[in-house]
Amino acid sequence: MIMRRLLPLFIMLALPFVGSRAKDVVTVNMEYGDELSSKVSSQVKYTMDSIIIKGYMGRGDFATLRDYIDNGRLRGIDLSDADIDNIPPYAFIPSKVNVGRKSLRKGSEGYLTQLEYITLPKKLRWISERAFELTALRCIELPRLNSILGGAFDNCPNLKSVKFHQPVPPKIGDGHAFSGMPCFTFQKEPGKPTRHHSGSLNSRI
């Protein structure tokens, strides 16, 4: 009987929490000349969990994303409709001035950012050096790339799955882009996934 009386109260208390979680995903439509920092309000930039970016992105917008990751709660990024063909150097590597902040956590090779998921655009053609180093990525699907430069995914201990959407993988700069990673699933299309250690993957693709 008591539980029946308390149930409406529990529902009322839960509704604001559910509503706040629904606002954690932010969608931004960008045009040429726009800056991401001016399109995301100050009320949500450090509280959102995920962001969807559509349209033009400039190089400076990657620094803005890194700020949202290092100083906020941003864990997921969807760039599937973003107009970019290159992930710039050091795009998501943790900022040295933020090492030790609460949003960063200690990994085997240093502090990792909390970025766990990213969806890349189909028109992407290369990933620059150390672009995703020391991130907490769990899996990654790569579009048809021309090249991945050195250290692009170095020291990502949580990265367990790498999938290429091309029968012949792209050129790997310096022969190393996945160092410091555990055994993980590597899949070329078409074909079945196979297991590799990071060293074998670096040397074979």
Side-chain angles (χ1 to χ4, degrees):
M1 194 70 176
I2 296 177
M3 288 301 297
R4 288 181 179 179
R5 292 178 181 177
L6 291 178
L7 184 59
L9 178 61
F10 290 153
I11 294 174
M12 290 178 63
L13 291 174
L15 282 176
F17 176 76
V18 172
S20 66
R21 296 298 296 178
K23 298 177 182 178
D24 286 343
V25 179
V26 174
T27 300
V28 181
N29 294 295
M30 303 277 288
E31 296 181 359
Y32 183 80
D34 286 345
E35 294 183 354
L36 183 62
S37 58
S38 65
K39 302 284 284 188
V40 178
S41 71
S42 58
Q43 287 80 11
V44 301
K45 67 179 184 179
Y46 293 139
T47 61
M48 60 183 173
D49 290 323
S50 303
I51 188 169
I52 302 168
I53 301 176
K54 302 179 179 182
Y56 172 84
M57 276 189 69
R59 179 166 293 213
D61 295 326
F62 287 93
T64 300
L65 284 174
R66 188 170 64 183
D67 173 49
Y68 297 162
I69 295 166
D70 286 352
N71 297 300
R73 293 169 42 193
L74 186 60
R75 297 174 183 270
I77 300 173
D78 185 346
L79 301 179
S80 55
D81 292 320
D83 186 13
I84 53 174
D85 60 6
N86 171 40
I87 303 294
Y90 309 96
F92 296 104
I93 195 171
S95 172
K96 289 184 179 180
V97 299
N98 289 316
V99 168
R101 284 184 181 269
K102 187 177 180 180
S103 62
L104 302 177
R105 52 182 180 271
K106 194 73 166 61
S108 60
E109 298 295 333
Y111 285 92
L112 306 178
T113 69
Q114 60 188 355
L115 178 64
E116 295 182 351
Y117 305 101
I118 188 165
T119 304
L120 299 174
K122 291 182 179 179
K123 68 181 299 181
L124 192 72
R125 289 298 172 261
W126 69 93
I127 298 175
S128 298
E129 62 270 16
R130 303 181 68 184
F132 293 99
E133 184 178 4
L134 290 171
T135 58
L137 287 175
R138 297 175 178 272
C139 58
I140 188 78
E141 286 198 31
L142 302 174
R144 289 180 174 268
L145 298 171
N146 294 331
S147 64
I148 303 175
L149 299 185
F153 294 94
D154 277 5
N155 301 315
C156 296
N158 299 333
L159 186 56
K160 302 296 193 299
S161 175
V162 178
K163 184 175 182 179
F164 290 89
H165 285 270
Q166 56 198 99
V168 179
K171 180 188 296 185
I172 303 297
D174 299 330
H176 295 279
F178 299 91
S179 299
M181 291 168 48
C183 183
F184 62 93
T185 299
F186 162 59
Q187 181 173 340
K188 293 186 289 188
E189 288 193 349
K192 296 181 179 179
T194 56
R195 301 283 290 178
H196 290 277
H197 289 278
S198 59
S200 64
L201 176 61
N202 283 310
S203 63
R204 293 179 64 177
I205 64 174

